[in-house]
């Protein structure tokens, strides 16, 4: 499990560190002085938090028992952490957990009972809330540092001194237990001849070759941890070795030298180690893939890299694809007998110093089951709304609740969405709401893209029709959208501007025509279009007005506007609100005398043009206000 907030920036730091190590730093002895524990613990903490969880992470059933928190403490260790959190604020804990779960946590003495304790959905939600408290975060921080320190010290007691290797060792110990980490370290030490000579590279290869920690389900974590540890700035490999890539992209960018050395070792490719993924390297990769029944494309993908790692570490050579029947042979000169096949539980010569991730015995790690499919569902597959519409709430469900859903808008200029799935419309356009749920130990990651179209309600955003509009006609979508936006702008419809002509559109047009007192045939011909255009023009017009005050009256004047057939005059006093005092229907007039204004009083005036067509009334924007004091 991963916490993206805690892991922010580590990949770029890793890449930078890799390049610095490869190109700039001078080599130094691998068996250097014992690493500073605090510095290694701090470095290991970041990748463990990234690989495991957040403060409030809850996995209700993690291989048979619950796991919780930023290091995914499992089973009885989860109980121990919860007991510590509860003691910090018992009243708060009881309120958040509920009486039954609270009493179970505080009263359980036999911690082994929690080795198989799983959470119901309700219990998981309650514990998740408790884990998010300040008391929980403080307890988790202390326990995490204590555990990670013990992981590092275990590696040091074995004799590992390379700092990046110790960081990697801590991740192995946290995921698989002390026994698994010790087994991998032992395998690496047999390859190098001693624990002190083990670097990150050998430990990584030993882990990938391990039957448990190298399980295909764990490979992504193995390589991500390697990438991170290699980028910390410490020397992570011997002078004759280099960065181990994960796939073709990382091989091309910084790992081609390792691929070239590996091909030379495994199949006597005779490549010059240039650290450039050139044609010769591609040809050699093609031959290697063909000889090992891999996908043949010349690009060192993950499967090719892993196969090379296994063959290099175990000291085997690739069969020659040009020679039938050439079987894989052991390399008798490999130091430390790296060709030995290690089995889970082989911890010869290891004194396991207490596993802070579980019992002091090596845990019985089950074979990784295939991850269950995560299915995200939304009651609506897509949304089509107007830019004037209110926002809406998404209701996406998942087949599990082990991880929260996250939401993101692909176009923030169109819409935004918060962490709870509440959508706010910003402007017209198209966007996708991207709903994600990250992978857990039992469920696959999943993503659901929900398309959203936000239509403009401004008629000027669409081309005006060039002919009549009606149901039976094959019309351009944008012409219908102009009509729909126009009816909305004039207050004559509550519809979505989707360009679709349905029976409801015919009904709306017919009703509008009836209100206007013209032939109600449902056809938007020249007469109806001209009327709509005229109304839009009036609505958009802003009158210009002036005022002159005398003892006789406050006289308002305006410019003549032929498209309007009304002028509305509004007035207010200081502190009051505007009220209509006059409607001018004689459009030859361009002034009005307000003789009802009191002498010496201050008045404010605004004007509006208007168009009335039978029962339909459209008003323009208000003019800029003018102030008058009758003398």
């Amino acid at each position: 499990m991963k916490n993206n907030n805690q892991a922010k920036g580590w990949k770029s730091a890793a890449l930078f560190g890799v390049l610095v190590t490869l190109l700039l730093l001078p080599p130094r002895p691998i068996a250097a002085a014992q690493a500073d524990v605090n510095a290694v613990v701090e470095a290991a903490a970041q990748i463990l938090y990234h690989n495991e969880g957040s403060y409030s992470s809850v996995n209700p059933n993690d291989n048979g028992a619950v796991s919780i928190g930023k290091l995914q403490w499992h089973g009885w260790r989860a109980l121990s952490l919860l007991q510590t959190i509860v003691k910090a604020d018992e009243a708060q804990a009881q309120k958040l957990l509920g009486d039954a779960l609270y009493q179970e946590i505080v009263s359980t003495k036999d911690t082994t009972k929690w080795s198989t304790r799983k959470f119901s959905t309700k219990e998981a939600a309650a514990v998740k809330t408790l884990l998010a408290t300040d008391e929980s975060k403080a307890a988790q921080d202390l326990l995490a540092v204590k555990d990670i320190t013990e992981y590092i010290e275990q590696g040091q007691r074995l004799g590992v001194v390379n700092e990046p290797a110790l960081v990697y060792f801590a991740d192995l110990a946290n995921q698989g237990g002390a026994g698994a980490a010790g087994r991998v370290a032992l395998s690496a030490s047999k390859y190098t001849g001693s624990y002190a000579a083990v670097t990150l590279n050998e430990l990584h290869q030993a882990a990938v070759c391990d039957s448990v920690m190298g399980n295909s389900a764990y490979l992504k974590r193995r390589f991500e941890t390697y990438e991170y540890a290699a980028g910390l700035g410490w020397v992570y490999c011997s002078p004759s070795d280099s960065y181990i890539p994960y796939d073709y992209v990382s091989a091309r960018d910084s790992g081609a030298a390792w691929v070239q050395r590996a091909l030379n070792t495994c199949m006597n490719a005779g490549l010059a180690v240039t650290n450039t993924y050139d044609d010769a390297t591609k040809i050699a990769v093609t031959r290697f893939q063909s000889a090992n029944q891999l996908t043949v494309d010349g690009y060192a993908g993950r499967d090719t890299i892993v196969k090379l790692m296994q063959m290099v570490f175990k000291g085997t050579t690739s069969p020659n694809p040009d020679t039938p029947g050439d079987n894989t042979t052991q390399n008798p000169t490999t130091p430390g007998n790296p060709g030995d096949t290690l089995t889970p539980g082989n911890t010869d010569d290891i004194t396991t110093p207490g596993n802070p991730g579980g019992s002091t015995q090596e845990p019985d790690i089950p074979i990784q089951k295939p991850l269950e499919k995560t299915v995200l569902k939304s009651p609506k597959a897509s949304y089509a709304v107007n830019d004037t519409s209110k926002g809406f709430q998404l209701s996406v469900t998942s087949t599990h609740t082990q991880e929260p859903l996250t939401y993101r808008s692909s176009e923030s200029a169109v819409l935004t969405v918060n962490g709870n799935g509440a959508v706010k419309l910003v402007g017209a356009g198209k966007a996708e709401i991207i709903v994600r749920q990250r992978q857990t130990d039992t469920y696959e990651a999943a993503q659901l893209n929900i398309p959203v179209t936000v239509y403009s309600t401004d008629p000027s955003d669409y081309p005006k029709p060039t002919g009549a509009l009606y149901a039976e006609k094959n019309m351009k979508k944008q012409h219908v959208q102009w009509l729909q936006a126009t009816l909305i702008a004039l207050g004559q419809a509550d519809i979505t501007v989707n360009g679709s002509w349905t029976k409801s559109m015919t009904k709306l047009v017919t009703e509008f025509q009836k209100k206007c007192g013209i032939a109600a045939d449902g056809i938007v011909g020249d007469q109806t279009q001209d009327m709509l255009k005229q109304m839009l023009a009036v609505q958009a017009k802003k009158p210009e007005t002036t005022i002159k005050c005398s003892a006789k009256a406050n006289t308002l004047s305006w410019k003549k506007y032929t498209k309007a057939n009304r002028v509305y005059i509004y007035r207010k006093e200081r502190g009051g609100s505007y009220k209509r005092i006059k409607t001018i229907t004689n459009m030859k007039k361009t002034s009005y005398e307000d003789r009802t204004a009191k002498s010496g009083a201050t008045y404010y005036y605004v004007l509006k043009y208007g168009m009335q067509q039978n029962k339909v009334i459209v008003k323009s924007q208000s003019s800029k206000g003018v102030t008058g004091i009758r003398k």
Side-chain angles (χ1 to χ4, degrees):
M1 301 165 70
K2 297 178 183 176
N3 183 333
N4 289 331
N5 290 331
Q6 291 167 323
K8 183 179 180 182
W10 75 265
K11 284 193 174 183
S12 60
L15 179 58
F16 174 78
V18 169
L19 294 175
V20 168
T21 302
L22 288 174
L23 303 177
L24 300 179
L25 293 180
R28 63 175 172 132
I30 299 304
Q34 190 176 33
D36 178 72
V37 175
N38 291 336
V40 179
V41 168
E42 183 179 353
Q46 299 308 311
I47 189 61
L48 263 64
Y49 300 156
H50 170 77
N51 286 341
E52 290 296 346
S54 61
Y55 285 112
S56 59
S57 293
V58 176
N59 187 340
N61 182 4
D62 184 4
N63 285 325
V66 65
S67 290
I68 64 173
K70 65 194 293 186
L71 282 190
Q72 286 294 278
W73 288 278
H74 186 68
W76 68 266
R77 299 224 67 212
L79 172 63
S80 179
L81 172 61
L82 289 172
Q83 289 175 335
T84 301
I85 298 169
V86 166
K87 287 180 182 177
D89 191 332
E90 294 182 351
Q92 173 184 254
Q94 187 169 11
K95 178 180 178 181
L96 296 176
L97 294 173
D99 290 339
L101 184 55
Y102 170 81
Q103 290 299 331
E104 178 185 355
I105 290 171
V106 298
S107 63
T108 298
K109 304 300 182 184
D110 182 5
T111 58
T112 59
K113 291 181 179 180
W114 271 56
S115 296
T116 56
R117 179 65 161 90
K118 308 176 189 68
F119 279 169
S120 66
T121 301
K122 183 177 180 181
E123 288 172 332
V127 170
K128 194 177 187 73
T129 304
L130 178 67
L131 292 174
T133 63
D134 290 340
E135 291 76 12
S136 165
K137 292 177 181 179
Q140 289 189 53
D141 287 343
L142 288 174
L143 185 56
V145 172
K146 177 178 178 293
D147 286 357
I148 296 170
T149 301
E150 289 187 17
Y151 299 153
I152 301 300
E153 290 178 344
Q154 178 199 348
Q156 290 180 321
R157 282 192 292 269
L158 290 174
V160 179
V161 295
N162 180 249
E163 296 96 330
L166 288 169
V167 170
Y168 192 96
F169 181 92
D171 185 62
L172 292 171
N174 185 73
Q175 184 183 27
R183 182 179 66 247
V184 172
L186 173 63
S187 179
S189 73
K190 287 184 176 181
Y191 182 84
T192 60
S194 70
Y195 284 108
V198 171
T199 71
L200 172 66
N201 272 25
E202 288 84 33
L203 194 63
H204 178 45
Q205 290 181 92
V208 170
C209 294
D210 186 76
S211 60
V212 177
M213 303 313 293
N215 186 288
S216 60
Y218 299 153
L219 282 179
K220 186 173 187 291
R221 177 165 176 165
R222 296 286 82 81
F223 276 89
E224 284 190 348
T225 304
Y226 172 83
E227 179 188 5
Y228 169 80
L232 291 171
W234 287 308
V235 171
Y236 62 88
C237 64
S238 67
S240 61
D241 202 354
S242 56
Y243 180 72
I244 302 174
Y246 180 54
D247 53 19
Y248 170 69
V249 174
S250 54
R252 180 194 60 195
D253 288 345
S254 55
W258 185 90
V259 173
Q260 290 160 344
R261 287 193 184 95
L263 289 168
N264 289 342
T265 299
C266 295
M267 57 182 293
N268 297 316
L271 295 171
V273 182
T274 62
N275 204 27
T276 300
Y277 204 97
D278 50 23
D279 289 341
T281 303
K282 186 174 181 180
I283 291 171
V285 168
T286 300
R287 293 179 62 239
F288 178 81
Q289 292 168 331
S290 176
N292 289 279
Q293 290 78 51
L294 300 169
T295 300
V296 179
D297 56 12
Y299 300 103
R302 188 192 74 175
D303 292 344
T304 300
I305 296 295
V306 169
K307 186 65 176 177
L308 281 169
M309 290 178 70
Q310 292 170 343
M311 296 184 72
V312 168
F313 189 74
K314 294 179 179 180
T316 56
T317 57
S318 176
N320 188 337
D322 301 322
T323 306
D326 184 15
N327 296 320
T328 299
T329 58
Q330 293 289 338
N331 181 354
T333 62
T334 303
N337 192 18
D340 289 348
T341 301
L342 298 177
T343 57
N346 177 14
T347 55
D348 295 343
D349 303 326
I350 296 179
T351 302
T352 304
N355 174 14
S359 67
T360 56
Q361 300 289 329
E362 178 183 353
D364 181 15
I365 303 176
I367 296 176
Q368 181 74 7
K369 297 178 180 178
L371 296 178
E372 294 187 39
K373 186 176 181 61
T374 299
V375 180
L376 303 181
K377 291 184 178 180
S378 170
K380 293 189 68 172
S382 62
Y383 290 82
V385 294
N386 293 336
D387 58 1
T388 54
S389 302
K390 293 182 179 179
F392 54 89
Q393 177 67 47
L394 293 174
S395 181
V396 178
T397 59
S398 172
T399 49
H400 72 89
T401 57
Q402 292 180 0
E403 283 297 318
L405 299 176
T406 61
Y407 303 85
R408 180 174 67 85
S409 169
S410 65
E411 294 291 342
S412 58
V414 177
L415 60 87
T416 59
V417 57
N418 69 14
N420 296 317
V423 178
K424 180 181 179 182
L425 304 180
V426 179
K430 292 186 176 182
E432 283 187 332
I433 300 172
I434 302 166
V435 188
R436 288 176 176 164
Q437 193 170 31
R438 67 181 183 177
Q439 178 179 308
T440 70
D441 289 340
T442 51
Y443 284 90
E444 294 179 347
Q447 178 172 311
L448 178 65
N449 289 24
I450 303 175
V452 180
T453 301
V454 181
Y455 296 109
S456 169
T457 53
D458 184 351
S460 66
D461 286 340
Y462 306 101
K464 295 182 177 66
T466 55
L469 304 177
Y470 52 92
E472 295 79 11
K473 183 179 179 181
N474 184 16
M475 299 166 287
K476 289 185 177 181
K477 177 181 178 180
Q478 289 186 314
H479 290 164
V480 178
Q481 288 178 297
W482 175 87
L483 173 62
Q484 292 169 330
T486 298
L487 291 173
I488 291 171
L490 298 176
Q492 302 300 311
D494 183 11
I495 53 177
T496 302
V497 189
N498 56 16
S500 176
W501 190 293
T502 61
K503 291 181 179 179
S504 61
M505 279 298 301
T506 301
K507 184 178 179 181
L508 284 171
V509 171
T510 302
E511 290 175 350
F512 174 75
Q513 290 169 328
K514 286 180 180 179
K515 289 179 183 179
C516 291
I518 60 177
D521 55 7
I523 299 174
V524 185
D526 291 342
Q527 183 183 24
T528 304
Q529 286 189 35
D530 289 345
M531 192 169 295
L532 289 168
K533 293 173 183 177
Q534 184 177 348
M535 289 179 175
L536 286 176
V538 171
Q539 189 180 66
K541 189 69 174 179
K542 185 173 184 177
E544 295 180 13
T545 184
T546 57
I547 188 170
K548 289 184 178 181
C549 301
S550 65
K552 180 181 178 182
N554 290 338
T555 302
L556 299 162
S557 301
W558 59 88
K559 290 184 178 181
K560 186 176 180 180
Y561 183 54
T562 57
K563 292 184 182 294
N565 58 18
R566 296 282 191 280
V567 174
Y568 300 103
I569 301 173
Y570 300 85
R571 184 186 74 183
K572 74 171 184 177
E573 296 182 59
R574 190 186 301 275
S577 57
Y578 282 109
K579 295 180 180 179
R580 190 170 67 187
I581 61 173
K582 184 66 175 179
T583 300
I584 306 295
T585 57
N586 180 0
M587 296 310 292
K588 293 181 179 180
K589 294 188 62 174
T590 57
S591 65
Y592 168 72
E593 292 182 347
D594 178 17
R595 298 186 180 186
T596 63
K598 298 177 182 178
S599 180
T602 302
Y603 293 92
Y604 306 89
Y605 299 89
V606 294
L607 273 68
K608 291 183 179 181
Y609 292 128
M611 177 182 175
Q612 180 170 346
Q613 180 65 36
N614 199 22
K615 295 180 180 180
V616 178
I617 299 175
V618 176
K619 295 180 180 179
S620 75
Q621 301 179 59
S622 296
S623 67
K624 186 177 179 180
V626 293
T627 304
I629 302 175
R630 185 174 176 182
K631 297 178 180 179

